[in-house]
Every structure is written in C-alpha cells, then in structure tokens.
Amino acid sequence: MRSLLLIIIFSFQFSILNFLHAAPKREFRGAWIQCVNGQFQNLGTEKMQQTLTYQLNELQKDGVNAIIFQVRPECDALYESAIEPWSRFLTGQQGIAPSPYWDPLQWMITECHRRGMELHAWINPFRAKTKVTHQLAGNNIAIKRPDLVFAYDGLYILNPAKQENRDYICRVAADIIRRYDVDGLHIDDYFYPYPAAGCQIPDQQDFAANPQGYGNIHDWRRHNVNLFIEQLHDTIQSVKPWVKFGVSPFGIYRNKKNDPRGSDTNGLQNYDDLYADMLLWIDEGWCDYCVPQLYWEIGHKAADYKTLIHWWNDHANNRPLFIGEDIERTVKHADPDNPNQNQMQAKYSLHAQLPNVSGTVLWYAKAAVDNVGGYGTMLRENYWRYPALQPLMPFIDSTKPGKPAKVKPLWTSDGYTLFWQAPKSKSWRDEAVKYVVYRFEGKEPIDLDDASHIVAITTNPWLNLPYDNGKQKYVYVVTALNRLSNESAPVKKKVKL
C-alpha cells in the first residue's frame, strides 16, 4: 500500500514538473474585475483603493498579466467623462462624483502597469439601464434622448438599428482610448438583449421603415450589430492602432441542429438569440481577440465544456483565442474521469493540448483572490507559476524595438541594481514600453524560450539584484517590449551575486 502511494505521489509530482517545464512563454492570463455585482458601491475612495490594491497584489501572485476592468456598465462611467454620468456602481447614485475625488480608470491603469499587467477597459455598449437601477442621471443618454432607446424586461437598450447610437458608442470609446493609456478595449456578450419570456424587442417599425435589403428581421438585426462591430474596430484603429479590441461572446455560437457548423450543444445561441455573428467578426478581422464564455462544466448535458473548447479551437483560429473560465463552477464539479478532484486540472489540460488556445480569462477576479476551491493556489504554484508575455498579434504590428542600451550593474543606496536605458525609437511601433529580465546561472545555456528564467516583466529601466556574498556567477539578459509585446534582441550582462 505504501509503495502504491509513493508511486501516485511521484507520478503527480512528475506531471507537475513536466507542466512547469513546458509552461508557455506567451499566454494571456486575464481576470475580469466587474462592478455590477456591487462590490465597490459606496465603499468610498480610500476603501475602494485598498480593496483594488489587495486584489491586484493577489492576482499578480497568481500570475495574472491582464486586467479587464468594467468602466461603463450602463451608459455611465467609472472614469472622468464629459459625455456620460458617474456610475452608481461607484458612488451609489448615478451622476454623483466620488468623494474624495479620484478617477478609478486612471488609477487602475497606473497600478496595473506598475505590476507589468495590461489594462483593458471593459464597456457594455448598448445597455443604458440594468434591471436593478431605478434612477438615472439627467445626462444619461436614455433620459436625454428617449427616442434612441427601447425598454425590454426592465432594461433600457440603445437601439442597435439606429446609426446615431452606433456613432454615440464609438464616440464614447474613442474618448476613453484618446485620454487613457489603455492596452485594450473589451466588450462582452450584451448586444440585443437576452431573450425573456413574454417579451418582444420593439423594433418592428424600425425594420419596416428601413429593412436595408433584408427579408427578415433576424438577419437585419445581425446586420445592425455587424455594422457596429466593424465601426468600433475602425474607430479604435483610427485613434490608437495598438489598442487591442476584444470580444467575449456567449459560449455557444450555434447548435449543430440549426447549423452544420455549430457545436453539438443545445442552448441559447449567439447568432440566433443575441444576433452576434462572432465568426464573421473574426474572419473579417474586426476584433483582435476572442474570449468565449465557457462557464459550464465538463459533462454538462446541454453545453459540455470539452465539446465547446474543441469547437472554438477549430473555428476561431484566425484571431487569438482565450477561454473564459468560471472559477466557482470549475471547483464545484468533480472531474468525470477523476471523481476525487475538481475539474481545474482537466480543463487546463485541454488548454495545453489545443493549439489555438493561447490564454484564459477568469470569471471573476474576486473568486481567484478569495482562492475559492484552492483555484488561486493552483495558479500561483502550478499553472501560472512563471511569468508570461502577451501573445503576439502580428496583424496589428510585428515590429521589434531596439535592444536596451547601457546595461550595467551599479551599487546604489537601494543595493546592487541592474540599470539600462530605453532604445531609440521613431514611432509607437518600435517604442519600448516594458522590459523582460531573465536570469541564468554562470554556465547555463541561454534559452529565452524557457519562461522559468524570467525574473521580471517591468516598466522600470532597472532591477534590484539579490546580492549575497558576491561569489555566485549569473548571466542577466534584458530585452525590450513594444506595445504589442514584440521582443527585441537580448543584451547579456555577467554579474556576481
């Protein structure tokens, strides 16, 4: 019995070591920080900053390298805006500024970049009022222009059929991108509203007045959303072409019974129910990354996780594919093949096996921070133990910055420190915005593809070194990254620590 137990332990440790050795150097490791759950409402400036600082610190320990931060849940703002009112999910009442005054989006950008993380601003484009909001500010678009919205199941929705609404949303997005140093703009699965029993979308008159050549209202609605997605993509590109545009659709595109291309599932459909043709947007290059929300468990009768991740791997490979993971459901359900453990290991094994899956986004950040089911521990000790660079996006840019200059260790009041200077640049394409620092033992082969040697991904042009007695030889390697994480040639520096 003892021998069998040792074999099991050794096999588990061997599999963990194999995974760590094969840890990818590039991987999107995101987490959604939402506000509509009320976690920040009425906290006040100091308490909210403390809460976010704690969350970011824990997520950094977990290996997260990108935060998707909800800044516009209902035509409002968790940032300073001359267009839309302050969000009630921040201050408790829409239109009331935070006191003491601060700008959560700007604060988050600063804090994320300081930790080497990207910050993607998450907006809900068409929703003007959630079900739980009962009072809107006077400058909410739904109050100023009630002709632009329709009511549906307690919601107010900016009518996607109206070009004026598409222009308005793109103006809001352009304002964010122009004034803030965000790395991405992110939208989720809310286009036309989720179907509600007994409710009908009140747009028949719009369709009759301007069918745009379509014979049925369903194709017409999809066309309206397609026009918006293309316009939003073009808007982002025109303002700051390096800002990534990400879409997180509902996890089922179409069921196979309705479309031979569909998945072997039986659930609500992006294409038919939300009028979102995600595959078209990917094929046309209107989005830069896709994060389907695969929140179900392996073995779910209507929407099996394993079936869906294979489907998205096969169909969404014209753009980087990241998987939206529900932490609580993952740890709640047992692995069908190993009933004594939850499904985290099985799901991450699928991620590693499928060639077009290049990242994960956690739903939601607080569940990882709270370490529900030990999920955060497994990230930091296993799956995301080593740092990772962002996946490449050569369709936006493939230019490499120059290599860091004047790499040199010096003694300072803070100890032994490795310094370098930014390379010269001519445009945003070859501008260095971050640096990667690797460490190797004296005679160890230099392998920059091995993420276990990354000791820092930083915006600082320096790194404090762990000096001991000055007898151990190391080689430090410094590279530069541009805004799309294209990596420069390396610069090596031998040091004794």
Side-chain angles (χ1 to χ4, degrees):
M1 183 67 181
R2 183 174 181 274
S3 298
L4 178 60
L5 181 61
L6 288 173
I7 291 172
I8 292 172
I9 292 172
F10 176 78
S11 298
F12 176 74
Q13 291 175 335
F14 182 76
S15 65
I16 293 296
L17 289 171
N18 271 346
F19 180 87
L20 292 176
H21 180 72
K25 176 178 171 178
R26 292 186 180 272
E27 186 176 33
F28 192 89
R29 300 171 178 176
W32 280 293
I33 295 184
Q34 61 168 329
C35 67
V36 291
N37 64 346
Q39 64 172 320
F40 305 126
Q41 191 168 309
N42 296 321
L43 278 185
T45 299
E46 183 179 0
K47 183 63 175 177
M48 183 170 170
Q49 289 179 355
Q50 290 174 353
T51 300
L52 285 169
T53 296
Y54 175 72
Q55 290 188 4
L56 292 177
N57 287 342
E58 292 301 299
L59 293 168
Q60 184 180 26
K61 294 173 188 175
D62 289 343
V64 169
N65 62 17
I67 297 296
I68 300 175
F69 182 51
Q70 190 175 28
V71 299
R72 184 185 183 262
E74 49 181 0
C75 291
D76 55 356
L78 273 82
Y79 60 94
E80 184 178 300
S81 173
I83 304 173
E84 298 188 307
W86 283 101
S87 176
R88 80 169 185 86
F89 293 107
L90 178 63
T91 63
Q93 181 179 341
Q94 192 175 96
I96 301 298
S99 180
Y101 186 85
W102 72 305
D103 185 323
L105 176 56
Q106 183 56 59
W107 188 91
M108 283 290 287
I109 291 168
T110 300
E111 292 298 312
C112 286
H113 288 176
R114 189 166 65 83
R115 292 168 173 81
M117 298 174 173
E118 289 193 345
L119 189 286
H120 294 226
W122 165 19
I123 70 172
N124 300 86
F126 292 104
R127 188 171 62 200
K129 186 185 84 67
T130 64
K131 290 184 181 182
V132 294
T133 295
H134 303 295
Q135 183 179 359
L136 299 177
N139 62 330
N140 185 290
I141 187 68
I143 300 299
K144 293 194 299 182
R145 292 290 307 275
D147 57 307
L148 296 181
V149 306
F150 61 74
Y152 184 91
D153 191 36
L155 305 168
Y156 286 166
I157 305 294
L158 288 176
N159 189 344
K162 296 185 181 297
Q163 181 62 48
E164 192 170 351
N165 282 336
R166 300 194 289 267
D167 293 341
Y168 174 76
I169 300 165
C170 288
R171 182 161 71 94
V172 170
D175 177 61
I176 294 172
I177 295 165
R178 186 175 293 112
R179 293 190 297 116
Y180 293 92
D181 188 20
V182 297
D183 301 287
L185 188 89
H186 183 90
I187 64 175
D188 54 18
D189 50 329
Y190 291 97
F191 302 103
Y192 279 91
Y194 273 75
C199 295
Q200 185 179 42
I201 298 173
D203 60 354
Q204 288 75 23
Q205 290 184 354
D206 294 302
F207 174 58
N210 185 19
Q212 303 184 68
Y214 287 91
N216 70 71
I217 199 168
H218 305 290
D219 290 336
W220 173 79
R221 286 172 181 162
R222 268 185 294 275
H223 175 67
N224 293 332
V225 179
N226 292 341
L227 289 174
F228 165 70
I229 294 295
E230 182 180 15
Q231 183 179 349
L232 182 55
H233 168 268
D234 292 348
T235 297
I236 296 167
Q237 286 285 303
S238 69
V239 179
K240 288 180 181 174
W242 61 83
V243 172
K244 305 167 185 177
F245 176 34
V247 182
S248 179
F250 182 73
I252 299 173
Y253 174 72
R254 296 194 88 187
N255 298 310
K256 184 178 288 186
K257 64 183 179 182
N258 297 323
D259 184 343
R261 292 187 305 167
S263 52
D264 191 11
T265 50
N266 293 284
L268 183 138
Q269 304 165 104
N270 268 301
Y271 185 91
D272 301 85
D273 299 309
L274 304 177
Y275 303 100
D277 191 350
M278 189 73 214
L279 293 191
L280 175 69
W281 309 342
I282 290 169
D283 291 342
E284 293 291 338
W286 294 341
C287 65
D288 299 319
Y289 65 86
C290 171
V291 192
Q293 298 169 20
L294 304 192
Y295 292 166
W296 302 278
E297 68 271 19
I298 298 170
H300 190 283
K301 291 182 179 179
D304 173 50
Y305 178 95
K306 187 174 183 179
T307 297
L308 283 166
I309 194 172
H310 276 279
W311 187 92
W312 283 99
N313 176 75
D314 294 341
H315 290 82
N317 51 32
N318 286 335
R319 282 292 183 266
L321 173 64
F322 316 140
I323 303 301
E325 291 285 351
D326 186 301
I327 292 175
E328 292 183 353
R329 294 188 204 180
T330 296
V331 300
K332 174 183 176 181
H333 293 280
D335 181 350
D337 296 327
N338 297 282
N340 293 326
Q341 65 185 34
N342 67 41
Q343 294 194 356
M344 184 177 184
Q345 181 176 330
K347 288 185 174 182
Y348 275 78
S349 293
L350 287 168
H351 285 228
Q353 294 165 17
L354 297 175
N356 296 318
V357 174
S358 54
T360 306
V361 182
L362 305 176
W363 180 258
Y364 54 102
K366 190 175 184 299
V369 171
D370 292 344
N371 199 24
V372 175
Y375 198 101
T377 298
M378 285 296 288
L379 288 178
R380 67 180 64 182
E381 294 184 357
N382 184 1
Y383 300 107
W384 293 353
R385 177 177 175 180
Y386 300 122
L389 280 61
Q390 297 295 336
L392 294 171
M393 294 189 178
F395 48 86
I396 299 178
D397 174 59
S398 59
T399 307
K400 294 182 179 181
K403 60 186 180 182
K406 299 182 180 179
V407 179
K408 187 176 182 179
L410 295 171
W411 280 100
T412 72
S413 58
D414 292 329
Y416 203 35
T417 304
L418 187 66
F419 290 94
W420 57 88
Q421 292 182 7
K424 294 180 180 179
S425 62
K426 296 180 179 179
S427 72
W428 68 267
R429 295 181 184 278
D430 63 350
E431 178 190 7
V433 297
K434 281 190 285 194
Y435 303 93
V436 188
V437 184
Y438 305 80
R439 188 176 83 162
F440 300 87
E441 293 189 10
K443 296 183 179 180
E444 191 176 8
I446 305 298
D447 180 6
L448 300 190
D449 291 327
D450 186 348
S452 68
H453 288 282
I454 297 175
V455 294
I457 300 173
T458 178
T459 56
N460 297 322
W462 51 266
L463 182 73
N464 289 329
L465 300 177
Y467 186 86
D468 185 15
N469 55 20
K471 296 181 180 180
Q472 183 67 39
K473 294 180 180 180
Y474 293 98
V475 176
Y476 277 79
V477 178
V478 185
T479 62
L481 301 176
N482 72 353
R483 290 185 177 273
L484 273 299
S485 290
N486 296 309
E487 190 173 18
S488 74
V491 179
K492 304 174 186 177
K493 182 59 62 173
K494 294 180 180 180
V495 298
K496 291 183 179 180
L497 301 177

